[in-house]
Amino acid sequence: MNYELRVLNSLLNSGNYVEAVNEGIENVFIEYRDIWNFVVNHYDEHKKTPSKDTVKHHYPDFEFINTPEPLLYYLTEAKKESLSYQTRQIISKANNMLKDMGPKEAMAYLMQSTSQLYKFSSSLKDTDLVSEWKERAGDLRERSMQEARDIPGIPSGINVLDKSFGGWQPGDFVVLLGWTGVGKSFIARLFAANAWRAGYRPLIISLEMNKQQEGQRLDTLLNNGEGHFTNTDLVKASKHIVDSYEKWAEKTFEGKHPIYLVTSEGLETADQNMVQAKIDQYHPDMVILDYHGLFDDASGAKNETEKAKNLSKAFKRMAVKNGIPIIDVAAVTMSEGHSERPPELEEVAWSKQLAYDADLVLAIHREYNSDVFQVVSRKVRRSTHFGFYLRWNLETGKWAEEWEL
Amino acid sequence: MKATGEQTIQHFQDCCKKYNKLFIPDSPRQEAVAKAIADFYESELLFKAIESFIKTRTGPFLVFDFAVESKSFIDRVIFDGKSESKFQAILEETRKRMTDEL
């Protein structure tokens, strides 16, 4: 590749190895990767870029050319050319797969490869915090003038959570933790419903329930105890509520912004690439993933613990890269029953990775058939710990936060 | 406070009845075993651990079976107690903070 030759020559001419590495030069080499590796090893050993003579000695066929422009010029050109080359390769291979293996395999390959390529193409977002202080000051001034907003992020709708944590902010990775069957999914939907009421567009990726069940659950939540219908009415399709449901639904949903729902119906695989693809498709304001254990790992984990770890890391990166909050529902199981309290982080097999990645871990518990949810933070990255009760009638959707029982 | 061996056996039987599980009498061994665990553990912890054991296992039950595993069940009761206290403390702190802000 000519661009590889040009950028290597520019590096050897300028000797500016550090600048080249900081700008992500290592990603552009394919044909000249052996020479690049030689430069890296030489720098590691001797703390300097090798001279042209040294390179000539080891690689007599290497062609030296004149590079009159600054190193950055050749780097930018190389990155653009390399990205174009790799994109063409992916498209070409996907086209062959389409003919030989079929559309599903071709799409899976495309999603995985483009996602990896995107990481490479967007990996140069490093900044110098010292020189960018003016931008931060400007951002602070702008946010301080937004008096109408009580909290910086998307409201959860729960007073104590919003005041303590500041709502769901861009890049937040939030984990809802609880024993199986305590109502984590309900709480995740409550966050989605409350965000939607506040004008935001949530994306729910639900691998546990189908479209109809999700619709009924969300309707009940948005009904919020107003008495138009109960969850059982919706499940059993009670005749006497059909008209009132229709009126309520029209008033509630007509002309409003969307709530995106992706269920596992028709999905062959549900991994981190699929999640990224859905984010790219819908551009939501927040994402709810339900639940962690049901997602596949595209990076080829060998066991469940590794899978949980890989997914945790991937979802956190995704939240930061896309600048949106991601709420991940994670079930906790014990070999023999479980305790009647919210789980502690150390009780989860893969808790360390979650603890590293999460900005907030909320542990949730509800005793069997109780309408009281105990919610407590197990990790909070930007405030002190908090806890509260939610008294919630899952049948009518009515809920309230409480301090004492 | 310590319970007696008889109280321990009675609690064992009551828990089996409560959770509809089969208790198998094991005299004269169970009296000696119950006395040993009652003398060793505080009654509050012991009774909670027995209930947790019966609740989470399928049975049928001998006092001896519990005695063999008593350490891990007592540890779990202690852990649960600490976790519950922590939750209550966080709840109280949050309530105070929120009240102060209003």
Side-chain angles (χ1 to χ4, degrees):
Chain A
M1 313 283 172
N2 283 339
Y3 61 84
E4 290 183 43
L5 185 66
R6 284 196 291 273
V7 79
L8 257 180
N9 268 282
S10 175
L11 171 63
L12 296 174
N13 289 334
S14 68
N16 203 342
Y17 175 84
V18 175
E19 184 189 358
V21 170
N22 285 343
E23 290 293 333
I25 189 174
E26 74 279 5
N27 293 320
V28 305
F29 293 112
I30 297 170
E31 194 179 334
Y32 288 85
R33 181 148 286 276
D34 54 340
I35 300 178
W36 166 247
N37 288 339
F38 172 76
V39 172
V40 172
N41 291 335
H42 189 277
Y43 190 89
D44 286 346
E45 204 171 325
H46 306 287
K47 303 294 169 222
K48 71 178 278 292
T49 311
S51 67
K52 287 181 181 178
D53 286 346
T54 307
V55 173
K56 187 82 186 164
H57 175 72
H58 288 275
Y59 299 92
D61 296 335
F62 184 73
E63 183 187 354
F64 290 97
I65 56 172
N66 191 23
T67 52
E69 303 297 339
L71 174 62
L72 195 58
Y73 170 85
Y74 296 103
L75 268 170
T76 308
E77 180 204 33
K79 280 192 285 189
K80 196 175 161 188
E81 291 284 339
S82 170
L83 201 58
S84 303
Y85 171 76
Q86 290 180 65
T87 305
R88 281 194 296 273
Q89 293 284 100
I90 289 169
I91 292 169
S92 168
K93 189 170 173 188
N95 189 39
N96 291 338
M97 287 176 82
L98 189 62
K99 286 178 204 157
D100 302 339
M101 300 162 81
K104 277 180 187 164
E105 286 75 8
M107 274 174 64
Y109 168 76
L110 260 179
M111 282 165 72
Q112 188 174 354
S113 307
T114 50
S115 181
Q116 281 168 356
L117 203 58
Y118 188 79
K119 273 185 205 165
F120 154 56
S121 68
S122 60
S123 65
L124 299 170
K125 297 256 170 94
D126 305 347
T127 54
D128 173 11
L129 288 172
V130 175
S131 66
E132 291 190 354
W133 69 269
K134 280 183 185 168
E135 285 178 29
R136 292 204 297 285
D139 174 63
L140 181 65
R141 183 175 301 283
E142 196 177 306
R143 284 189 290 121
S144 73
M145 288 191 291
Q146 294 173 345
E147 286 169 13
R149 289 174 62 194
D150 292 335
I151 57 167
I154 297 170
S156 70
I158 295 168
N159 199 25
V160 56
L161 213 160
D162 290 338
K163 287 212 163 144
S164 302
F165 193 63
W168 317 124
Q169 298 183 26
D172 276 351
F173 179 51
V174 178
V175 176
L176 303 187
L177 212 58
W179 314 113
T180 306
V182 298
K184 300 175 296 294
S185 298
F186 267 109
I187 291 196
R189 302 310 181 280
L190 178 67
F191 293 151
N194 288 343
W196 182 78
R197 279 178 195 281
Y200 295 93
R201 295 160 305 154
L203 162 65
I204 302 167
I205 301 184
S206 169
L207 305 182
E208 271 198 319
M209 292 186 285
N210 63 31
K211 187 178 155 186
Q212 190 183 40
Q213 291 165 329
E214 283 287 351
Q216 288 162 355
R217 189 170 279 199
L218 210 73
D219 284 344
T220 308
L221 274 170
L222 290 167
N223 177 45
N224 194 24
E226 288 169 16
H228 304 283
F229 51 83
T230 65
N231 192 54
T232 306
D233 286 332
L234 298 177
V235 173
K236 291 187 174 173
S238 303
K239 282 183 181 165
H240 70 278
I241 58 103
V242 174
D243 289 338
S244 60
Y245 171 81
E246 199 168 356
K247 271 186 200 166
W248 170 85
E250 187 177 4
K251 190 178 148 203
T252 306
F253 298 120
E254 195 61 32
K256 300 278 175 62
H257 52 288
I259 300 172
Y260 301 112
L261 171 69
V262 176
T263 64
S264 52
E265 293 157 283
L267 275 181
E268 285 294 316
T269 51
D271 56 22
Q272 49 270 63
N273 296 324
M274 180 277 282
V275 176
Q276 182 57 56
K278 293 298 173 188
I279 293 172
D280 291 341
Q281 183 179 352
Y282 295 118
H283 302 287
D285 296 310
M286 69 184 288
V287 178
I288 287 172
L289 304 175
D290 191 5
Y291 82 98
H292 197 88
L294 285 177
F295 281 90
D296 304 309
D297 175 27
S299 48
K302 293 182 186 74
N303 55 51
E304 283 298 310
T305 305
E306 199 181 324
K307 184 183 99 169
K309 281 181 172 183
N310 290 348
L311 286 172
S312 173
K313 281 192 272 189
F315 294 151
K316 170 61 189 172
R317 284 195 203 114
M318 217 174 275
V320 174
K321 188 180 91 177
N322 294 285
I324 51 170
I326 292 183
I327 298 175
D328 186 16
V329 179
V332 184
T333 51
M334 268 180 133
S335 54
E336 288 181 314
H338 61 72
S339 301
E340 291 297 344
R341 55 170 175 74
E344 296 280 350
L345 266 184
E346 58 262 43
E347 289 176 296
V348 190
W350 20 270
S351 66
K352 275 188 184 167
Q353 194 60 50
L354 278 177
Y356 292 146
D357 298 330
D359 298 281
L360 172 69
V361 178
L362 280 181
I364 293 157
H365 184 62
R366 177 174 64 116
E367 290 193 17
Y368 180 67
N369 261 349
S370 167
D371 61 354
V372 176
F373 288 72
Q374 300 171 47
V375 185
V376 61
S377 62
R378 293 298 188 211
K379 183 203 172 183
V380 201
R381 194 160 264 171
R382 58 169 177 267
S383 75
T384 50
H385 279 287
F386 56 88
F388 56 93
Y389 291 114
L390 274 184
R391 189 175 289 280
W392 194 351
N393 185 330
L394 299 180
E395 184 62 5
T396 65
K398 187 173 176 57
W399 63 275
E401 54 192 291
E402 291 186 7
W403 306 106
E404 291 168 56
L405 295 178
Chain B
M1 215 176 81
K2 299 283 168 80
T4 64
E6 292 77 36
Q7 286 170 328
T8 305
I9 294 170
Q10 188 58 50
H11 183 69
F12 214 92
Q13 288 174 317
D14 292 345
C15 287
C16 285
K17 205 171 174 183
K18 182 178 172 185
Y19 293 104
N20 202 23
K21 291 178 183 179
L22 177 61
F23 174 76
I24 300 177
D26 189 28
S27 292
R29 186 172 64 164
Q30 69 178 16
E31 283 74 17
V33 171
K35 184 175 183 318
I37 55 175
D39 287 347
F40 194 75
Y41 298 115
E42 290 297 321
S43 60
E44 195 184 341
L45 290 177
L46 177 62
F47 283 12
K48 280 183 182 171
I50 289 172
E51 181 161 1
S52 171
F53 178 74
I54 291 167
K55 189 178 168 186
T56 54
R57 293 287 174 87
T58 51
F61 294 101
L62 298 172
V63 175
F64 180 78
D65 294 338
F66 169 75
V68 171
E69 292 187 65
S70 58
K71 173 80 168 66
S72 61
F73 277 84
I74 291 281
D75 286 349
R76 185 161 153 183
V77 169
I78 294 170
F79 189 83
D80 283 354
K82 282 183 183 168
S83 180
E84 182 58 34
S85 302
K86 196 167 91 182
F87 174 66
Q88 291 302 333
I90 290 173
L91 202 68
E92 179 56 25
E93 279 170 28
T94 313
R95 188 189 63 76
K96 205 174 159 206
R97 213 164 52 232
M98 294 297 285
T99 313
D100 290 348
E101 276 186 24
L102 290 175

